[in-house]
Amino acid sequence: MQTKPLLTLDDVTRIMAAARADAQANHWDVAIAVVDDGGHPLALERLDGCAPIGAYIALEKARTAALGRRESKVYEEMVNGGRTAFLSAPALTSLEGGVPIRVGGLVVGAVGVSGVKAAQDAQVASAGAASIV
């Protein structure tokens, strides 16, 4: 039988704190979501000033990164490159800002961020994901 690492509440707390710190240092009003490897929500925060839809989009970006085992940006690049069929893929958000969390080469979850420019969302998500590596 194989074993795999799992995110703990302490891990999720650290991820959220790192992502929040990056967003606040840049004065970015964003929503931050953390999910497990199956895309199930573990944490969600919408910082003051972030539009309500940001919470929904952040969660979907995180789910996409967890289930796809890659950054959500990859799907955005596919769509922008002409593979528009990905727009109809179930449980997939083709927007940059979802970053998988890897431990020992395995995806254990993902962070999704929404509220500012795509590359800025990805920066905040990456800060969160990097906090437990």
Side-chain angles (χ1 to χ4, degrees), residues 60-100 102:
E60 293 305 309
K61 287 178 179 184
R63 282 186 180 139
T64 296
L67 295 172
R69 306 296 196 245
R70 62 187 64 151
E71 289 194 34
S72 58
K73 176 183 180 177
V74 171
Y75 298 107
E76 182 175 7
E77 290 170 345
M78 286 181 192
V79 170
N80 290 341
R83 298 207 50 208
T84 56
F86 273 101
L87 291 172
S88 63
L92 179 70
T93 296
S94 300
L95 298 170
E96 183 176 1
V99 175
R102 296 182 193 281

Side-chain angles (χ1 to χ4, degrees), residues 44-56:
L44 174 66
E45 280 187 22
R46 183 166 53 97
L47 302 183
D48 293 342
C50 180
I53 196 168
Y56 176 83

Side-chain angles (χ1 to χ4, degrees), residues 5 11 13 16 25 28-29 33 35 65-66 72 76 82 93 98 105 108 110 112 114 123 128:
D11 295 329
T13 300
M16 291 298 290
W28 294 335
D29 301 331
V35 300
S72 58
E76 182 175 7
T93 296
V108 297
S114 182
Q123 175 185 318

